[in-house]
Amino acid sequence: MEQKNLKWRDIYNNNQKRRYCEVTGIKKEDVEIESNSWKVLKDRKYIVIITTLIAACLLIWTFRNDIKVLLMVLAFFVIAGVAFFLFNYFKFVCLKDGLYIRFGLQEGKFAYDKIKSVYLSKFNDYSFLLPIKKAYSIVIRYEDSYKRIKELSFPNYFLDKEKTVQFLENFNIKELEEQRYVNFERIKIWKRIGKAALIILFILFLVGLFFTNLNK
């Protein structure tokens, strides 16, 4: 793939087949990718500090007549902000005997015979919360001890495009699509609709609180 002016859309389009085809092994060992959200936060610390102060001032002014609601809203945004950066740190390494995964404070290793697909998805669990166009994620599909298909999803916000391509293409896959993965994708659509509805209701609740206190 041409690396100049590489876009996430191109990576997604060129790797769509991986969503439905099963992994058979890896090409090389020690191929890795890392999403280091803390490094990005450190590099842009002044922008983050200024944005945080402006947002805090707006919230304090809006909810100044109701301290309890103010504290609840501030606590929500603090927890959400910390969780966003904490759970957006991850690292994958293709080892000889399995795929090493470090996610936040957790780490583990998946044997390659348990990994069924590794692909780039156009959807991730945070795309409803943040207005980011490049809402893609790395998905690790695996089979648990009960032969059930499960997936782990990791957003692309802090990933390097070139290293992502190298990581995806390091997995050998079967040529034919697996029908059970096609069916699995259909089920996921209904789950996403339910999750989206809950998030939208929660956002509407916060907006209602905002305007209620604004009119007091």
Side-chain angles (χ1 to χ4, degrees):
M1 179 184 296
E2 179 64 38
Q3 301 299 305
K4 187 177 180 181
N5 298 322
L6 185 63
K7 298 180 180 179
W8 286 110
R9 179 182 59 194
D10 299 327
I11 301 174
Y12 171 78
N13 290 333
N14 288 321
N15 287 275
Q16 286 195 58
K17 187 176 181 180
R18 295 182 179 276
R19 180 188 298 267
Y20 305 109
C21 295
E22 189 163 318
V23 166
T24 60
I26 60 171
K27 298 174 182 176
K28 295 189 297 183
E29 298 175 21
D30 299 323
V31 174
E32 65 178 64
I33 54 174
E34 182 179 28
S35 173
N36 195 335
S37 53
W38 298 109
K39 182 178 183 300
V40 174
L41 179 62
K42 182 179 179 180
D43 293 341
R44 301 177 181 178
K45 58 185 177 182
Y46 296 113
I47 296 176
V48 173
I49 291 173
I50 292 172
T51 303
T52 302
L53 289 175
I54 293 174
C57 290
L58 288 173
L59 289 173
I60 292 172
W61 173 259
T62 302
F63 298 104
R64 64 188 184 280
N65 295 323
D66 195 330
I67 300 299
K68 289 184 178 180
V69 174
L70 172 62
L71 293 177
M72 289 174 59
V73 174
L74 286 176
F76 168 77
F77 281 106
V78 169
I79 294 172
V82 172
F84 174 77
F85 283 98
L86 177 63
F87 292 109
N88 275 285
Y89 174 83
F90 58 87
K91 183 177 182 179
F92 305 148
V93 185
C94 294
L95 302 177
K96 181 178 181 179
D97 55 346
L99 178 65
Y100 168 82
I101 297 179
R102 182 177 178 184
F103 174 51
L105 302 176
Q106 304 179 57
E107 60 181 350
K109 186 164 58 177
F110 283 82
Y112 291 118
D113 61 349
K114 293 291 185 181
I115 297 177
K116 300 306 173 183
S117 304
V118 179
Y119 65 93
L120 186 69
S121 173
K122 205 171 184 178
F123 171 92
N124 66 56
D125 292 337
Y126 300 97
S127 59
F128 293 104
L129 301 177
L130 296 171
I132 297 177
K133 290 184 178 180
K134 301 174 183 178
Y136 295 89
S137 62
I138 296 288
V139 177
I140 309 295
R141 179 181 292 152
Y142 65 98
E143 193 174 67
D144 66 12
S145 56
Y146 297 100
K147 302 296 182 181
R148 295 175 301 190
I149 300 176
K150 299 290 185 66
E151 287 187 342
L152 297 174
S153 180
F154 304 87
N156 72 317
Y157 303 145
F158 308 106
L159 287 178
D160 178 86
K161 297 184 183 71
E162 286 76 17
K163 289 185 177 180
T164 300
V165 172
Q166 294 172 10
F167 176 76
L168 290 173
E169 295 182 350
N170 193 50
F171 290 89
N172 294 315
I173 60 173
K174 294 180 180 179
E175 289 298 320
L176 297 177
E177 295 182 353
E178 293 282 343
Q179 185 58 42
R180 64 171 179 161
Y181 301 153
V182 175
N183 296 335
F184 184 75
E185 289 295 320
R186 292 171 181 168
I187 295 173
K188 282 166 57 178
I189 293 175
W190 291 105
K191 291 182 178 179
R192 289 172 182 174
I193 292 174
K195 184 182 292 185
L198 291 175
I199 293 174
I200 291 172
L201 287 174
F202 181 72
I203 293 175
L204 290 175
F205 172 74
L206 289 181
V207 171
L209 277 179
F210 176 84
F211 284 105
T212 298
N213 283 273
L214 190 65
N215 294 327
K216 284 186 177 180

